[in-house]
Every structure is written in C-alpha cells, then in structure tokens.
Amino acid sequence: MTSAAGVVVVGGGQAGYSVVSALRGAGYDGPVTVFADERHLPYQRPPLSKQAHTEPDGTRVELVPESFYRERAIGLRLGERVTALDTAARTVVTGTGTRVPYDHLVLATGARNRRLPVPGAGLDGVHALRSLDDALAIGRALTTARDVVVVGGGFIGLELAQVAVAGGARVTVLELAGRLLSRAVSPQLQEHLRQRHEHSGVRILTGTGVRAVEGAGRVERVVTDRGVLPADLVVYGIGAAPRDELARDAGLAVDDGVIVDEHLRSVTDPRISAVGDCARHPHPHAAGLVRLESVQNATDQGALVGRRIAGSAAPYRSLPWFWSDQGAVKLQIAGLRTDTDEVRVVPGDSPDRLAAYAFRGDRLVAAETLNWPAEHLAARRLLERQVPVSAGDLTGSTLGALARARRGAGVRA
Ligand SMILES: Cc1cc2nc3c(=O)[nH]c(=O)nc-3n(C[C@H](O)[C@H](O)[C@H](O)COP(=O)(O)OP(=O)(O)OC[C@H]3O[C@@H](n4cnc5c(N)ncnc54)[C@H](O)[C@@H]3O)c2cc1C
C-alpha cells in the first residue's frame, strides 16, 4: 500500500522502532519518517538499570545499526522533537517549525520519570534513570560513589541497587510504601525479594519517605522521616507518567495515556495510533483500559500497528509479560495480576526458585516466578492459549508439570 505523505512516527524508542520495522517487513513502500528527540539511535532501556554504563558509545544497547534504517528508506530524524500536531491539516510540527504531512501518524512517545518532589532534588549527584544519557551519568558517578541512596523500591530502583552494591558501594533503598514492589508483585514475592536484597548487602528501609536532599552544590546527605543518611549519589525511580501532551493539546482523548481502541487507533482520530508506554488500551486480559510499561507491550503493539497500516486487521491481544533482573534474581511475570482473588505460592526445586500463581475467580490469570524461566514459559504458553487452570489444578503441582501431564493424557495444554 503506497500513499503520498506516508507514515510519521513520533518517538524513536522500542515501540517506534517496532512500528517501522514491521511496516517495511509487511511490504509497506510509502514514505516512513521517525522523529526521535534523543541523539542516539533507537536503543533498549532494560540494560540501563542492570549494569553500569560508563562508555559514551551507545552501540551496546542500540536495537539495530544505522544501516537498517538506511537500507529500508526509513527517515530517522534524530535529535528532532515534534512540538505540535495539526490533526485537521494532518501534519506534525517540529521544534524548528517545520511541518511534515502524514497519512497515518503513530505516537510512540514513551513515558517520563516523575520528579522527586523535595527540596534539593536538583543538586549535582541526584539522578533519575530513563535515558542512555542518564545511565552514562549514573555509571560515571558509580565509579567513585561510596554511599548510594536509591529512592523508590520499584523495578528500576532495585535493579540499580544491585548494580551499585556489586560495585562496592554502601546502598540504601528508601521505599515510602510498607513493602517493595508493592503494586507490582504478590506480597509473598515482595518479602522474598526483600530478603534477597538484604542478603546481598542492600539496606532496605520501607515505610520511609524522603524530606530533602542536602549538600553544598552536590548531594551530601538525604533527610528521611527516620533520620539522615550520608549520600554521594542519589538515584530515584518513583514511577513514570505517559508523554501524552501532544495528543492532549491536539484534542485527542487522553487519560493517563492516549486512549486507543483494540486496533490501537486513537478513539478520537482513526488516522492516529498510539503504542507502547504512552498508550492506554483495552485488553482481553483486563477488566478496563490498561497502560503497560514493558518491552513486550511496546514491541508487540508497534508490530501490530505497522502490520495494520500495511493492510492487516487483527486486534491487539498479546499476552503481557515482563522481566526484571535484580542481581542474582530473575523475576518474570506472565499475564496481568489486576483484580485477582487468590495467590498460591509454590516453592521450586532449589531455594532461590519460587512461583506465585494469581487467580481471578477459579482461573489462573498471572504467574510470577523467581529464577524459574521454564515455569515462566509454561505459564505464558497456557495463558496465551487460554487453557483453563484452576487453583485446585495446582495443588502439589507446577504449571510445567501440569502441562506435561495434560499433554501426556492427550488434553490441550
Ligand atoms: C531503566 C529502565 C529499565 C527497564 N527495564 C525493563 C525490563 O527489564 N523489562 C521490561 O519489559 N521493560 C523494561 N523497561 C520498560 C521498557 O523499556 C519500556 O516499556 C519501553 O522502552 C517502552 O517503549 P516506548 O517506545 O513506548 O518508549 P521509549 O522506549 O521510552 O521511547 C520513546 C521515545 O520517544 C521520544 N519522544 C518522546 N516525545 C517525543 C517527541 N515529541 N518528539 C520526538 N521524540 C519524542 C523519547 O525521548 C524516547 O526516546 C525499562 C525501562 C527503563 C527506563
């Protein structure tokens, strides 16, 4: 399918890359332009919090080399921000005032970190982690930091705490809620993870808020509700908000993300799609609309929209899955754990393995595993194929064992 103005993608991250890769893969031969306000080629964010980055060379994390875009005639406009959408004229406006027309527009603008709302958050040595540039600044600081305070016991904070402690720093994680990962994983896994982090030397202070960051020009200490901690590096990860302001300013429906239908088209303007961290979408595994921040979601949504613009019509139904590497612990999640009624925890065949199965009614809807990739894959397979699994089915059994037994008995699994 060819058209005059072609496809414009705003955002050169995981989802934007996936859109253009799928577009060309599906044979779309019209003009394709990606606006990316970072100066790096599209790259993966997961490695940024799982190892220390000190080299300014971004090639270690880039998704594909520059030749990929050149060979496919994908116009990659690095360092160019789109500042407005004119949906009536079907053009985007860039920071330099250039207007670029589109037949179809894809918003893949991702999310931005919530700012630490305390005095002193702007001091040198206080960092958030989202971009490769952030990771490089933190990596450089880690080479000399002795006392690291991580604000926020979520995935990114805990991953970075492990990187810092492995590098020899004294590390404290401050979490306002009573538990780590309080909204993200089951309470049983939260407690297990806390023990693993403490065992590796990370000090965890839950139920502890930050009041201020202090120092003469650079951070020297963090004032908390429960005392003062020395710090020469503070990294905070206290959640992210979707970058949906372009859509909102253009009059598209927005509610903590650009609202899209099951084909990931804006419910206001079908010539505009939104994918990845910035999109709020219906999902067969969720009761209402959801906005997910994961590589799987960004990749699969981008691919679906790329294929749709090229002519395919399938709705978005991909099973959500996620991983987080926290030192020696690999946490993997399959499915969506929202609105669940019961969680069953099953120990693995070694002390570092654990699984938590979440049920809505009498049906398995999510599985969380620690250091147990085979069980994660079994969960994904069963959930993707919507094979019913009840809590009773898992009495004294794992999902892997259940699937093997069912296949052995000739039952779909
Ligand atoms: C440190 C870190 C670790 C992570 N680890 C994991 C993990 O282990 N597992 C997992 O599943 N997920 C992980 N994630 C989440 C995952 O990386 C994101 O969900 C994914 O990158 C989302 O892709 P996206 O394309 O929607 O957004 P992004 O990858 O954020 O890309 C959006 C891009 O659009 C650009 N942009 C925004 N507005 C404009 C504009 N107006 N004009 C031009 N460009 C614009 C942004 O600068 C950005 O480069 C991690 C995220 C971070 C930050």
Side-chain angles (χ1 to χ4, degrees), residues 106-248:
V106 186
L107 298 173
T109 47
R112 62 166 59 83
N113 291 333
R114 292 187 200 286
R115 298 232 156 264
L116 188 61
V118 300
L123 286 175
D124 280 355
V126 181
H127 299 263
L129 174 52
R130 177 141 303 260
S131 67
L132 178 55
D133 290 341
D134 295 336
L136 289 168
I138 293 168
R140 282 191 295 272
L142 277 172
T143 58
T144 53
R146 301 311 310 149
D147 291 295
V148 177
V149 173
V150 174
V151 182
F155 293 117
I156 292 175
L158 292 173
E159 290 178 354
L160 201 87
Q162 285 298 319
V163 173
V165 85
R170 286 182 291 268
V171 183
T172 305
V173 174
L174 304 177
E175 168 55 55
L176 189 59
R179 292 171 175 274
L180 299 176
L181 293 167
S182 56
R183 288 184 314 273
V185 300
S186 307
Q188 295 89 335
L189 260 63
Q190 293 162 6
E191 191 45 43
H192 184 91
L193 282 165
R194 178 184 186 127
Q195 287 168 15
R196 296 293 302 265
H197 281 285
E198 287 177 338
H199 185 71
S200 69
V202 175
R203 185 176 172 212
I204 307 272
L205 298 178
T206 48
T208 306
V210 175
R211 291 192 179 163
V213 181
E214 294 179 348
R218 306 196 36 87
V219 56
E220 291 168 24
R221 60 199 161 268
V222 175
V223 183
T224 79
D225 310 336
R226 292 162 60 178
V228 178
L229 299 169
D232 42 22
L233 172 62
V234 173
V235 182
Y236 64 92
I238 52 171
R243 292 180 68 168
D244 55 14
E245 59 277 5
L246 281 176
R248 185 185 309 106

Side-chain angles (χ1 to χ4, degrees), residues 192-193 196-197 324-331 352 369-371:
H192 184 91
L193 282 165
R196 296 293 302 265
H197 281 285
S324 169
D325 295 335
Q326 299 172 21
V329 178
K330 182 181 239 355
L331 164 68
D352 67 334
T369 56
L370 299 184
N371 290 343

Side-chain angles (χ1 to χ4, degrees), residues 247-261:
R248 185 185 309 106
D249 292 349
L252 305 183
V254 163
D255 180 11
D256 185 39
V258 185
I259 301 183
V260 294
D261 64 15

Side-chain angles (χ1 to χ4, degrees), residues 1 7-9 14-32 74 104-108 263-265 272-276 297-314 316:
M1 195 173 75
V7 178
V8 168
V9 179
Q14 190 87 44
Y17 158 73
S18 182
V19 172
V20 297
S21 162
L23 264 174
R24 288 298 190 231
Y28 179 84
D29 59 2
V32 175
I74 295 166
H104 198 98
L105 174 68
V106 186
L107 298 173
H263 295 278
L264 309 177
R265 289 175 303 218
I272 301 178
S273 301
V275 291
N297 181 65
T299 304
D300 290 352
Q301 291 197 335
L304 181 116
V305 166
R307 289 194 299 265
R308 172 165 57 70
I309 295 170
S312 147
Y316 186 69

Side-chain angles (χ1 to χ4, degrees), residues 10-16 35-38 43 45-46 48-50 80-83 108-111 129-130 156 159 243 246 275-278 292-296 298 321-325:
V10 186
Q14 190 87 44
F35 286 97
D37 64 1
E38 294 187 67
Y43 60 88
R45 292 181 201 275
L48 304 183
S49 47
K50 295 166 183 69
E80 277 195 69
R81 175 171 299 177
V82 169
T83 51
T109 47
L129 174 52
R130 177 141 303 260
I156 292 175
E159 290 178 354
R243 292 180 68 168
L246 281 176
V275 291
D277 286 9
C278 74
L292 302 173
E293 294 177 8
S294 73
V295 167
Q296 170 280 320
W321 58 265
F322 180 82
W323 82 97
S324 169
D325 295 335

